[in-house]
Amino acid sequence: MLTVLRRGAVAAGVLAVLIAFATMGPADEAGTVGAKPAQRHTTSPGVRPTSTAVASATGTNGSDGEIRFTATPEPNPAALERFYAQRVAWKRCTDDRQFDCARVTVPLDHADPAGETIALALRRLPSTSDRPRGTLFVNPGGPGGSGTDFVREPDLFGDDLLAAWDLVGFDPRGIGDSTPVECLTDEELDAMYAADPTPQSAQGRQLLEEAAAERAEGCLRRGGALAARMGTEAVVADLDILREAVGDERLNYYGVSYGTLIGAIYADHFTSRVGLMVLDSAVSPDALDSSTVTQRDVDANARHWGAEFDALFADFVEECGKRCVLGDTPEEAEAAIIGLLDALESVPLPTDFESLPQVTEGWAVTAIGEGLLDPTSWPYLVDALEAAIDDGDGTELAWFAMVAVGRDVDGSYPGSTYGKSHLPVTCADWPVRTWAELTPSSAIFEEHPLFARIQAPLPSECAGWKGQLRTNLLVGAEPATPILVIGNKHDPVTPIEDTEYLAEMLVGSRLVTVDATGHGAYAMGNACVNEVVEDYLARSLAPRDGTECPAT
């Protein structure tokens, strides 16, 4: 139903936007959010330069030529020799025999290789050819998405790619079928989604802050050493062990959304081991703090995001069509939804679900926020809103919200959902920043009233986090291989500015943008970008930097 679910990112939408809202810098005069990008294709500070491996001759089909690997990778870490000595023992999966399954052991703490270990789950779709090029690891994002589920959707990948590679999805540490982390309970997640997202009183805001702090403390208490070591730097160290376990000299990888951060940090930590890598719809890799944030900066940022939200909502109403049940204009539809949310703040709507008998304002905001980010779900969202507004029935809205967050009808949340797994990853990767300490002025929210209810900034989830933190908060690399970075110009979840910025930080990368809406550029119906990705992965052809794909 939802694109983010189809791609495995599972309910990352609204929360991803909120994280971005809290961690980005101010909008510049042109409306671009974030730090100023570095000059393209020059060595970034602190990045290790390596020898080039790209043919300089211009190739056909808009490529810069065939990628050739010439540099010798650095040796594996000697201290982890026993883990790197493993070889994957594939067996047919018991639930679907067209796939192979396996588990690989990694250290819980890479700095203590003699200590406790955990297991990572892998699922392989063997190549359709007799002589595959090797393994292509894939990650669907999140954090919390299951790679072993993602690889079960082979229709997402073109025939040439399926012939060229064994596709391998892995569940990162603590997620899915890997050694699980005990972080948030089902009851805590229900309470988090149900809570009033827009408290009007100081007491209400304090309750939100206290609940967030209790969730973080409870996650570490229940999850112990694993919850404290779920950050992406640990994930990429695991991934390098997986690379060696399948017998590949270099990592070949496709990652979308949060999966781009995995790829970027891998390139930063294991630069000489980068093979062919596609990073699709990027999150900004940097997490530097700024002690000079002003109220003006925060207001400029909020105004930018408010305008972006209003434009998306206008598209939603236009798609709804003339004589839309919510109203003929964005203003009328906005007033109808605001009226619903304001009423739900005091009187929830009944539903037919025993495990979720009422839809609160929080649940409605979750449904609307997630639904707006995925145009393919808009007809279902309109139906759900119509039933809630006209009939006083919250059943369809509750169903929509449950699908969005990966909640089962019985009230349980699988281990491979954003809600279940994101907290220890987010808190390790994105330390609490000065941006989170300031709230946009009330005038901004008055200018964008629906935005104020759907995407209002919430208290930091990570205040008081005691687990490990990312060591390198400014990510960049100059690998020998040109990394392919792609994204849609009108992505409502991960803005194109973040994709462009990531390309700046990965020296020698190839940036390809698509004049399209939606989250995720590859395998979403655009023939141009599909050809670029498959030429790159199946034929080692690097596209020209700055390639732009039309909408169709």
Side-chain angles (χ1 to χ4, degrees), residues 26-43:
D28 63 22
E29 293 179 357
T32 300
V33 175
K36 296 292 185 182
Q39 182 67 35
R40 280 192 67 75
H41 308 309
T42 58
T43 303

Side-chain angles (χ1 to χ4, degrees), residues 481-492:
T481 308
I483 293 174
L484 177 56
V485 182
I486 64 176
N488 292 330
K489 290 183 179 179
H490 313 291
D491 186 332

Side-chain angles (χ1 to χ4, degrees), residues 18 36 99-100 128 171 263 286 301 328 404 419 523 526 530:
L18 293 177
K36 296 292 185 182
F99 295 94
D100 301 322
T128 57
D171 288 348
D286 296 343
N301 202 27
D328 293 337
N526 187 280
N530 289 351

Side-chain angles (χ1 to χ4, degrees), residues 12 47 99 104 147 248 251 281 329 336 356 366 373 408 431 451 548 552:
V47 176
F99 295 94
V104 171
D248 283 2
L251 177 75
S281 305
T329 66
L356 189 61
T366 298
L373 294 175
D408 289 336
F451 165 75
E548 297 185 3
T552 57

Side-chain angles (χ1 to χ4, degrees), residues 121-122 137-139 146-148 168-172 235 239 242 253 262:
L122 290 80
F137 286 92
V138 297
N139 180 272
S146 167
T148 61
V168 172
F170 68 102
D171 288 348
V235 172
L239 183 55
L242 298 182
Y253 177 80
I262 295 176

